[in-house]
Amino acid sequence: MRIGVDVGGTNTDAVLMDQGKVLAWTKQPTSADVETGVADAIRSILSQSGVSPARIASVTIGTTHFVNALVERRELDRVGVLRLASPSGEALPPLTGWPRDLVECIDRRCYLLPGGYEVDGREMASLDENALRAAAVELRDDGVTAIAITCAFSPINAEMEHRAAAIVRESHPDATITLSSEIGRIGFIERENSAILNAALTTLARRVVRSFARACAAIGVSAPLYISQNDGTLASATQAEAYPVMTMGSGPTNSMRGAAFLSGLGDAIVMDVGGTTTDIGALSSGYPRESAISADIGGVRTNFRMPDVLAIGLGGGTRVHLDPALYGATELDEAAFRIGPDSLGYRLAQEGMLFGGNTLTTSDLARLAGIVSFGSADGLPVLSSTVLAALQARMRTMLEDGVDRMKTARGAVPVLAVGGGNFLIPDDLRGVSQVIRPPHAEVANAVGAAIAQAGAQVERVISYEAMDREAAIEHVAQLAREQVLTNGGDPATLATVDIEETPLSYLPGRAVQVRVRVVADLLPPPSIGASHAA
């Protein structure tokens, strides 16, 4: 049995699953201390099902805490930035183009040092070990423990970054070091940005992940703890503490994976409607389509793996801006009203008209239209049919435009409607073949976390003149398989889900960037497997 939890800004959703079947599920308010809300959610599903904590094989948690911290500019560490690319890599200093308030939050200390490689792997400049030691001592004396090291073309050759990290640790034993080669792709600035953001989240990641572990331990669940990543695969608690940026897109990813699992469809558009936004993504063979462009996180361009997701300002708590004098209008100009993008979020239960408040929201419109039955209709305004139809038409247009923006080909496509606010999605939309609401759609995000697999993605630049194409792909795939097994994957379920080849025409020798992604089901803990065998 596996537990999946998704910690959102408003609700914490949890499911208990046994061999693909949902045994229990719940939605609990997200607590300020994280730990309490997660513990309450897990305790609730165990109580519903009567299942002993000892029977749980794994707990997987998805969280928005890290991306929220960056967006809200809170709980970020001071960062020491070591760039190994001088003298040629000094044209654009680190953090160029970053929002000023974010730069001030991390209070960075930057060092531009000799080093790096050319695009073909040749050394560009020798590493200056004395300068590195001096920088490490300065950072140690200044109390900066989060350090990001970036070397030119380190995804092709990471040796210099690893040597630099070893030197820094000699002089600064308390340092927590992020290497850009372990996070981002070849693009230098975006990769450096990713490493800096990861370093800034060091303390928060440690606190949040350990609070999840305490929440599980408090109710007697001793199963392994995993954190879901951007690509729908799992990271161990230790990996998540080291690489929090790899989990920042896990919310939409979990919803899409859960939608695919619950519906049985591998190729579709997923619309996940929460309290504040509707996240629209595309499924390809059961996995989220990966973004082909640099992801913007908190105003910073990055290049680590992220799902291709479009977020629109329409959710269950989205405010409807309409003058009360127009509630009974028989004609309504489009300029006379606005839907969103602001939302009541977690305040919906206090300020929404359905719950006795004074703010008109999209949930109120759904109740007036007879789509939902929750809340009380006593406090709702009387809207004319003209006004209600105009507001619903605007929401429909927002959703249809979102689907069109995510489609890659002409023709109607199926849409999977999930999330607590999926009632806002009409049963018929332009450009959509059918709208499917799978069972347990409200907690598809937690289902996605529960079914997540161990995975790994490895990319290498290889010359097809030096190595046969099939042998090269197999070499990269084998590296990915080894990582999956290290992450707890079952050898019997190893599967290659994606192979991507990108010719690098500016390099000699028919150079190609080969990227291979492999997944596998988790191996059950020995005690669980033994009890099943018995």
Side-chain angles (χ1 to χ4, degrees):
M1 295 186 183
R2 300 177 67 174
I3 288 176
V5 182
D6 190 272
V7 184
T10 304
N11 291 312
T12 295
D13 300 344
V15 297
L16 174 64
M17 299 187 68
D18 183 12
Q19 297 183 357
K21 180 181 179 182
V22 177
L23 300 184
W25 65 275
T26 187
K27 277 183 177 286
Q28 300 279 340
T30 296
S31 60
D33 64 351
V34 184
E35 186 175 334
T36 302
V38 171
D40 287 346
I42 295 177
R43 193 177 288 113
S44 174
I45 56 176
L46 291 177
S47 175
Q48 288 178 45
S49 61
V51 170
S52 166
R55 297 184 62 191
I56 304 303
S58 66
V59 177
T60 303
I61 299 179
T63 179
T64 60
H65 276 79
F66 305 131
V67 68
N68 289 346
L70 290 174
V71 171
E72 297 171 18
R73 316 304 199 223
R74 58 175 175 81
E75 300 182 84
L76 301 178
D77 289 340
R78 300 164 65 205
V79 179
V81 181
L82 305 180
R83 176 189 284 186
L84 311 178
S86 292
S88 61
E90 298 183 1
L92 292 176
L95 285 75
T96 295
W98 283 44
R100 179 173 297 181
D101 58 343
L102 182 55
V103 173
E104 293 172 352
C105 280
I106 66 170
D107 189 28
R108 84 289 188 199
R109 300 288 188 272
C110 299
Y111 299 85
L112 305 182
L113 305 173
Y117 298 95
E118 301 287 357
V119 70
D120 59 0
R122 290 180 293 115
E123 188 176 282
M124 183 169 62
S126 299
L127 187 65
D128 189 334
E129 298 190 0
N130 291 330
L132 261 174
R133 290 189 180 90
V137 170
E138 285 186 22
L139 292 171
R140 181 197 65 195
D141 294 344
D142 200 22
V144 178
T145 58
I147 297 175
I149 299 178
T150 306
C151 173
F153 288 106
S154 59
I156 296 175
N157 186 348
E159 181 181 347
M160 197 172 290
E161 282 192 357
H162 286 287
R163 175 57 184 153
I167 292 171
V168 170
R169 289 191 182 97
E170 291 173 2
S171 302
H172 192 352
D174 295 331
T176 301
I177 299 173
T178 296
L179 302 183
S180 73
S181 58
E182 297 178 352
I183 292 180
R185 296 174 179 166
I186 288 179
F188 184 81
I189 296 297
E190 291 86 355
R191 175 162 48 86
E192 180 179 63
N193 289 345
S194 302
I196 296 170
L197 291 180
N198 192 79
L201 292 165
T202 298
T203 301
L204 178 64
R206 189 178 297 124
R207 180 177 65 79
V208 169
V209 172
R210 293 180 184 180
S211 72
F212 290 156
R214 287 194 301 269
C216 293
I219 51 184
V221 175
S222 58
L225 172 65
Y226 298 95
I227 308 298
S228 56
Q229 299 189 100
N230 303 331
D231 61 358
T233 60
L234 299 173
S236 67
T238 302
Q239 289 174 315
E241 286 188 22
Y243 306 111
V245 294
M246 303 305 291
T247 72
M248 290 201 295
S250 63
T253 298
N254 285 341
S255 294
M256 286 191 276
R257 288 279 291 140
F261 179 83
L262 293 170
S263 67
L265 289 180
D267 297 279
I269 297 291
V270 178
M271 305 184 82
D272 176 24
V273 189
T276 303
T277 63
T278 294
D279 293 330
I280 306 175
L283 284 171
S284 177
S285 300
Y287 284 84
R289 183 176 69 204
E290 192 171 311
S291 176
I293 61 174
S294 298
D296 188 295
I297 306 295
V300 178
R301 288 172 60 86
T302 63
N303 68 352
F304 49 80
R305 302 190 307 274
M306 287 288 285
D308 186 8
V309 174
L310 170 67
I312 61 176
L314 179 64
T318 297
R319 293 185 61 183
V320 177
H321 299 272
L322 175 67
D323 189 331
L326 298 176
Y327 284 176
T330 56
E331 293 184 8
L332 191 63
D333 186 272
E334 286 202 357
F337 67 92
R338 179 167 55 88
I339 295 178
D342 51 329
S343 171
L344 293 182
Y346 67 90
R347 304 191 310 276
L348 175 63
Q350 291 78 41
E351 300 180 22
M353 288 187 175
L354 270 176
F355 304 98
N358 300 314
T359 304
L360 183 65
T361 69
T362 52
S363 292
D364 301 327
L365 300 183
R367 179 63 187 266
L368 287 169
I371 298 172
V372 297
S373 58
F374 61 79
S376 172
D378 295 341
L380 294 180
V382 177
L383 301 182
S384 70
S385 58
T386 300
V387 170
L388 185 57
L391 296 173
Q392 288 181 297
R394 174 66 62 81
M395 290 192 290
R396 176 188 295 273
T397 299
M398 293 170 68
L399 295 170
E400 290 173 342
D401 289 347
V403 172
D404 280 345
R405 291 175 62 182
M406 294 305 294
K407 289 163 63 175
T408 57
R410 297 180 62 183
V413 295
V415 162
L416 302 178
V418 297
N422 75 80
F423 56 82
L424 293 179
I425 302 175
D427 288 331
D428 60 307
L429 290 170
R430 179 169 46 86
V432 172
S433 59
Q434 60 178 327
V435 174
I436 302 170
R437 304 177 201 275
H440 305 295
E442 301 88 345
V443 288
N445 48 4
V447 171
I451 66 166
Q453 299 170 292
Q457 179 171 281
V458 174
E459 58 184 75
R460 294 287 187 272
V461 175
I462 296 174
S463 169
Y464 280 172
E465 288 186 357
M467 184 182 294
D468 177 74
R469 174 178 177 272
E470 291 185 2
I473 293 175
E474 174 57 27
H475 169 69
V476 178
Q478 181 58 30
L479 294 176
R481 286 193 287 267
E482 291 172 0
Q483 286 191 23
V484 172
L485 297 179
T486 300
N487 294 342
D490 182 351
T493 62
L494 282 169
T496 300
V497 297
D498 188 34
I499 298 175
E500 182 180 320
E501 299 171 86
T502 305
L504 303 178
S505 57
Y506 48 84
L507 289 182
R510 294 174 58 208
V512 177
Q513 183 183 41
V514 178
R515 183 184 306 156
V516 179
R517 188 166 154 208
V518 175
V519 299
D521 294 337
L522 286 174
L523 278 171
S527 59
I528 298 290
S531 65
H532 284 176

